[in-house]
Amino acid sequence: MIELVNLTKEYKNVKAVKNLSMFIERGEIVGLLGPNGAGKSTAISMLSSLVEPTSGDVRFENSSIIKNPSKFRKIVGIVPQEIALYEDLTAEENLHFFGRIYHLRGAKLKQKVEEVLEQIGLSDRRKDVVKKFSGGMKRRLNIGVAMLHDPEMIIMDEPTVGIDPQSRNYILETVKRLNEERNMTVLYTSHYMEEVEFLCDRIYIMDKGDLIASGTKEEIKKILSSENTIAIKADRFNKEFLDALQNHPSVNRITIGEREVLIIVPRAVNMFSEVIKIAEEYGIELVSVDNKAPTLEDVFLHLTGRALRD
Amino acid sequence: MVWNIIKKQGLLFLRNPQELLLLLALPMILITILSTALGGLINGGSSPISINVAFIEHGDEQREVEKFLRDIEEQLPPQAVEEVRANIEQMLPITIIKESIFGNEEISEFIEVDYLNVSKREDVLNNDEYTTLIEVPENFTYDTLTNLVFDSGKVPSLILMQNEGQQVGTGVINNLLTQFQEQLTLGEFLGKNQIDMDNLQLTSDVKGEIVTINEQEPVSSKAYYTLGMVLMNVLFLAGAIGSYAFHEKQIHVFDRIMIANVSRWSYFIGVLLSGTIFAFIQCLIIFGFSRVVFGVTWPDLTAFFLITLAFSLSVGGIAVLLVAISYRINTETITNFFTSIIVTLFAVLGGSFAPIGDYSKVIQFLGNLTPNGASMTAYLTILRGEELLKIGNEILYLIGFAAAAVVIAVLCFPKRRLSQ
Ligand SMILES: Nc1ncnc2c1ncn2[C@@H]1O[C@H](COP(=O)(O)OP(=O)(O)OP(=O)(O)O)[C@@H](O)[C@H]1O
Ligand SMILES: [Mg+2]
């Protein structure tokens, strides 16, 4: 349906996106993952023809979106990372305004506003000004505005940042439902692995402007096939123990939490007995030591050596 | 589409009482304060303005009085003649003007009168420092007395030559003379002096005329400060619209509008018309206030609406120019600069606080270059009772100003993508 070809955007000091190539098929939910500053929003801005790429192209139905954006704009709904709403207007007034912007009018407009309010679960708060909404409600309205004109495709830029788990689930379920019921194509950007794992068929991972991995969930997890992640849980760790783990020749990477330490080790090594031995040596009372199924988070850690979120 | 943008702007104003307070209540309060301050000044007190009046008599009051007294002996019963003779000292119009009006301690503090010889007339006319030249024609006193006593219908006139550059000053003089005129014609004056009006066959509906040459109406301080405050505060509206629009860019609402395939020029026109329409409404509300509370009325409504519309258009032009520049340079600095510095500068030059243009030709010229100053001149012109044609230049200038602002805005407004 849509294809990004060697898309590059250079700002004065940074290359925000470097040679990004990706495609999205009709009816897919595609995830775009990456930490802060990876270039996700920049990629989306070029995709929605708000920012002109330094080089490269975006193709939609055999023509360039960069040169001729209007055809694509008609069928796409964009949910920006920011809350792009009038805080002083009510939910309903916002929807009305943006509906008119999409040339909806009269009964059709009314019906669409009604429908969207229903979809985003804000029917009973329609008369409240957005200023008074919770973060989650604002996010939902932010999505609702992008759905007014019945887009075939929706692009969501981190639609769940900074909101409560309930709203987050609501949004994820809504996206899934839109995809299943209306065959809506979705490009979903996030730095939450679990969201992308839950929603997406295919995934692209970016870091510092580069595409560092792409494929289906399974394909990407296979990247980890040669390694194991072991989760070590205890009520308390001490420095000696952690140093010993860190310096252990078989430990490739280590992530330290308060009560859980993750280590990545080659699959061939049996690390369990090693961990228990070290724990005894430094007086750590272990709660559990588990072999963890690889997650996308692990993949990211593997690829970049950094956790996705700080 | 454009209408949708305007409607949204209206809603945003309604939802921001603070903004409304600044745009509407503040000017109303200022009008009240300033006009009371200047009102106090007319009743005495120290004055920031000084008014120079030249006074030239073509006749001789004393000789005319003697002639009048001689003449009435033939026409009135002796008793009435005696009564007139006894009170004649209080009936002399020129003496009253000189002593009771210009001689008044409070008034003389800010009005300086030069009593000049007829031969100085040309000099006065060429001297820009005089606010008004008052000329007393020959037989003025004689005719006034005759009219008072016999209702002769021959209404004598003082001739006022007014310096058009000094609008407040001429207004004050006109006010004073009008008051005097009314006393003179409505019989109060005679009544006060216990003259039996029946005896004198005086009718109280005699209408006299003092003015003159241009038939100019006086401009009251309330009207003046209404204008000053309206014209200044409506400029703030351009700044407010500029801020709203830039905020739309910051919160990415503008992106949303672009993604919806709306032409950026629709948005542009939306801003221009929002500025114009809301400026117009703001003007009407404050003028309405001043009409209800202070009784400031407009002699020529067509001209009034025409000026208000032209001024509003220029405010719309400023608004869209601010938006275009702030979108181009991607900061709100220009709008802040406008509201904090330019508006004040324009207001001072345009005479919002005091008719400073009256004292310097250069300032007057600069003032008329500001849209508010040009509008001020136009409004004052029609307030003084002039006809529509007289404000043609100002109207054209305002429209030209708006057009220039729009053209520059078009050139500045980012044309394609918002890529910085
Ligand atoms: N208008 C701009 N001018 C200059 N640099 C920019 C601009 N927009 C983005 N950048 C830079 O480009 C890089 C990518 O930014 P981008 O917003 O695309 O990242 P992101 O993946 O969306 O991050 P986040 O998860 O924080 O939203 C960053 O280094 C950012 O500082
Ligand atoms: Mg982003």
Side-chain angles (χ1 to χ4, degrees):
Chain A
M1 182 182 193
I2 189 156
E3 192 180 3
L4 284 66
V5 187
N6 290 326
L7 211 52
T8 299
K9 180 69 195 179
E10 291 174 21
Y11 288 114
K12 251 175 256 130
N13 305 316
V14 270
K15 280 189 161 183
V17 173
K18 305 174 208 163
N19 271 316
L20 177 65
S21 292
M22 54 190 273
F23 66 91
I24 301 161
E25 297 293 355
R26 214 171 271 278
E28 270 191 310
I29 304 186
V30 171
L32 180 57
L33 262 172
N36 292 125
K40 305 180 298 290
S41 298
T42 308
I44 287 178
S45 296
M46 290 190 281
L47 193 53
S48 47
S49 63
L50 283 173
V51 163
E52 208 164 0
T54 313
S55 65
D57 199 359
V58 182
R59 314 281 305 171
F60 168 68
E61 289 181 352
N62 292 324
S63 71
S64 166
I65 289 182
I66 311 298
K67 290 201 193 79
N68 181 14
S70 75
K71 202 166 67 175
F72 180 61
R73 283 175 170 181
K74 278 199 191 103
I75 63 109
V76 75
I78 310 249
V79 181
Q81 183 170 356
E82 300 78 13
I83 306 283
L85 300 168
Y86 291 104
E87 297 253 320
D88 289 324
L89 302 189
T90 66
E92 200 170 27
E93 286 163 346
N94 267 288
L95 289 171
H96 258 273
F97 174 75
F98 289 108
R100 289 287 297 115
I101 292 290
Y102 275 103
H103 301 285
L104 296 171
R105 49 170 70 237
K108 180 93 208 302
L109 174 61
K110 236 177 149 172
Q111 177 220 324
K112 275 313 291 183
V113 168
E114 213 59 40
E115 190 184 312
V116 166
L117 279 170
E118 195 62 42
Q119 265 169 348
I120 57 178
L122 288 178
S123 294
D124 52 337
R125 300 295 301 267
R126 63 173 60 190
K127 298 273 185 226
D128 288 348
V129 288
V130 172
K131 221 170 9 193
K132 292 195 186 140
F133 279 4
S134 72
M137 289 156 72
K138 287 181 189 173
R139 286 275 159 204
R140 268 139 69 188
L141 186 59
N142 205 32
I143 296 171
V145 166
M147 303 196 313
L148 280 165
H149 61 299
D150 278 327
E152 293 170 31
M153 176 178 182
I154 193 157
I155 299 179
M156 304 178 133
D157 194 351
E158 302 191 28
T160 57
V161 281
I163 64 176
D164 57 290
Q166 261 153 316
S167 282
R168 186 174 170 190
N169 283 340
Y170 193 95
I171 289 173
L172 292 175
E173 294 295 342
T174 309
V175 173
K176 197 137 205 158
R177 206 177 58 235
L178 286 171
N179 173 256
E180 281 162 6
E181 289 172 9
R182 305 192 186 185
N183 197 32
M184 191 182 278
T185 312
V186 181
L187 176 61
Y188 191 95
T189 296
S190 178
H191 31 119
Y192 294 105
M193 291 291 181
E194 44 304 3
E195 292 183 354
V196 174
E197 281 201 77
F198 170 74
L199 281 176
C200 305
D201 313 316
R202 284 193 310 114
I203 294 158
Y204 290 89
I205 302 180
M206 288 181 78
D207 185 39
K208 296 182 179 158
D210 288 313
L211 191 63
I212 55 174
S214 66
T216 62
K217 263 184 284 199
E218 292 69 32
E219 282 169 344
I220 287 188
K221 284 180 187 169
K222 268 200 203 120
I223 296 173
L224 291 182
S225 59
S226 60
E227 293 182 329
N228 268 345
T229 303
I230 293 172
I232 307 162
K233 289 197 174 132
D235 283 337
R236 193 179 52 77
F237 296 110
N238 59 28
K239 190 169 179 313
E240 292 77 18
F241 173 75
L242 295 174
D243 282 347
L245 274 184
Q246 202 141 22
N247 296 330
H248 194 282
S250 298
V251 173
N252 289 348
R253 299 196 194 290
I254 179 166
T255 344
I256 299 165
E258 205 170 324
R259 295 193 172 174
E260 186 182 56
V261 171
L262 296 177
I263 54 173
I264 295 177
V265 296
R267 189 161 266 202
V269 181
N270 179 354
M271 198 60 193
F272 285 96
S273 50
E274 284 288 306
V275 170
I276 292 165
K277 219 172 78 193
I278 299 172
E280 264 167 17
E281 197 175 330
Y282 295 103
I284 300 295
E285 280 181 36
L286 291 176
V287 176
S288 67
V289 181
D290 283 320
N291 205 342
K292 236 180 123 202
T295 62
L296 289 172
E297 199 112 22
D298 302 329
V299 176
F300 189 79
L301 192 65
H302 170 86
L303 289 169
T304 64
R306 286 177 290 117
L308 198 52
R309 275 162 288 148
D310 311 311
Chain B
M1 189 52 48
V2 170
W3 173 240
N4 190 35
I5 291 170
I6 297 168
K7 204 176 96 188
K8 173 260 315 171
Q9 183 63 58
L11 267 177
L12 289 178
F13 274 128
L14 288 181
R15 294 287 153 77
N16 279 286
Q18 251 171 312
E19 190 88 57
L20 280 187
L21 203 71
L22 276 179
L23 291 172
L24 292 175
L26 185 70
M28 292 178 187
I29 294 166
L30 285 172
I31 293 167
T32 312
I33 294 173
L34 284 171
S35 53
T36 341
L38 190 89
L41 166 147
I42 290 176
N43 298 326
S46 68
S47 155
I49 39 173
S50 65
I51 299 169
N52 288 313
V53 175
F55 197 95
I56 296 177
E57 286 176 78
H58 290 273
D60 180 327
E61 184 159 67
Q62 203 49 47
R63 273 220 306 274
E64 286 175 29
V65 170
E66 282 159 18
K67 179 167 183 287
F68 175 74
L69 290 175
R70 255 184 276 117
D71 289 355
I72 58 170
E73 275 172 22
E74 292 154 25
Q75 298 170 43
L76 291 176
Q79 196 197 351
V81 174
E82 262 322 296
E83 207 162 325
V84 171
R85 197 185 290 277
N87 289 292
I88 196 81
E89 284 302 318
Q90 280 112 48
M91 290 168 65
L92 307 176
I94 301 307
T95 310
I96 290 169
I97 292 174
K98 284 180 179 170
E99 289 176 2
S100 305
I101 298 182
F102 293 139
N104 176 300
E105 212 176 292
E106 286 170 354
I107 289 175
S108 60
E109 242 174 66
F110 63 99
I111 300 181
E112 203 185 306
V113 186
D114 295 338
Y115 298 99
L116 301 169
N117 195 286
V118 182
S119 61
K120 289 277 191 324
R121 189 171 177 276
E122 277 311 301
D123 297 349
V124 171
L125 288 178
N126 291 328
N127 187 341
D128 215 33
E129 277 173 23
Y130 284 108
T131 307
T132 302
L133 163 62
I134 303 175
E135 285 187 90
V136 183
E138 218 167 328
N139 285 330
F140 179 81
T141 299
Y142 184 89
D143 290 345
T144 304
L145 292 172
T146 313
N147 189 37
L148 279 174
V149 176
F150 300 107
D151 184 20
S152 66
K154 189 174 175 194
V155 183
S157 289
L158 284 176
I159 298 167
L160 301 191
M161 305 281 244
Q162 297 177 316
N163 183 338
E164 294 205 9
Q166 299 190 12
Q167 289 146 338
V168 165
T170 52
V172 170
I173 298 293
N174 269 342
N175 248 327
L176 290 172
L177 292 178
T178 310
Q179 273 171 22
F180 162 72
Q181 171 75 27
E182 277 170 8
Q183 285 190 4
L184 207 62
T185 51
L186 291 178
E188 275 177 40
F189 161 72
L190 290 177
K192 257 192 265 173
N193 292 291
Q194 290 144 358
I195 291 175
D196 185 339
M197 289 199 259
D198 288 340
N199 266 353
L200 297 173
Q201 303 162 357
L202 184 90
T203 48
S204 59
D205 56 61
V206 186
K207 274 275 173 266
E209 294 262 87
I210 17 166
V211 190
T212 122
I213 304 274
N214 296 347
E215 282 236 33
Q216 291 183 330
E217 297 286 332
V219 175
S220 74
S221 62
K222 289 177 168 84
Y224 188 86
Y225 284 112
T226 297
L227 286 174
M229 292 304 105
V230 166
L231 293 170
M232 174 172 86
N233 282 279
V234 173
L235 290 177
F236 283 119
L237 181 99
I241 298 240
S243 290
Y244 276 114
F246 188 69
H247 184 62
E248 280 175 344
K249 180 173 196 267
Q250 281 179 313
I251 63 169
H252 298 265
V253 165
F254 182 73
D255 287 353
R256 276 210 147 131
I257 297 175
M258 291 301 102
I259 290 170
N261 268 335
V262 172
S263 150
R264 60 191 56 240
W265 302 113
S266 297
Y267 180 81
F268 185 93
I269 293 168
V271 172
L272 175 65
L273 291 185
S274 294
T276 307
I277 291 172
F278 292 110
F280 192 70
I281 294 174
Q282 190 189 359
C283 284
L284 292 190
I285 291 176
I286 307 173
F287 280 132
F289 161 84
S290 163
R291 153 108 231 221
V292 172
V293 177
F294 295 121
V296 174
T297 54
W298 297 88
D300 181 345
L301 276 183
T302 314
F304 168 76
F305 280 113
L306 208 62
I307 303 168
T308 309
L309 196 64
F311 174 62
S312 303
L313 198 63
S314 69
V315 173
I318 295 175
V320 81
L321 180 58
L322 291 175
V323 172
I325 296 176
S326 55
Y327 268 55
R328 159 63 42 119
I329 62 178
N330 205 20
T331 88
E332 213 180 348
T333 332
I334 180 77
T335 310
N336 294 337
F337 180 70
F338 177 78
T339 46
S340 57
I341 298 187
I342 309 259
V343 172
T344 316
L345 190 72
F346 274 21
V348 170
L349 282 177
S352 276
F353 300 108
I356 59 169
D358 289 2
Y359 305 109
S360 151
K361 279 262 177 281
V362 179
I363 291 178
Q364 189 168 34
F365 174 76
L366 289 178
N368 277 331
L369 287 183
T370 66
N372 53 311
S375 308
M376 178 73 114
T377 307
Y379 279 124
L380 288 173
T381 309
I382 60 159
L383 262 187
R384 277 187 272 108
E386 304 268 15
E387 56 191 294
L388 197 58
L389 269 177
K390 280 274 176 74
I391 57 170
N393 277 344
E394 280 79 20
I395 299 277
L396 282 181
Y397 178 74
L398 288 170
I399 293 172
F401 184 94
V406 170
V407 168
I408 301 171
V410 166
L411 294 176
C412 290
F413 200 54
K415 295 299 171 312
R416 265 177 63 80
R417 305 285 149 69
L418 293 174
S419 61
Q420 289 91 12

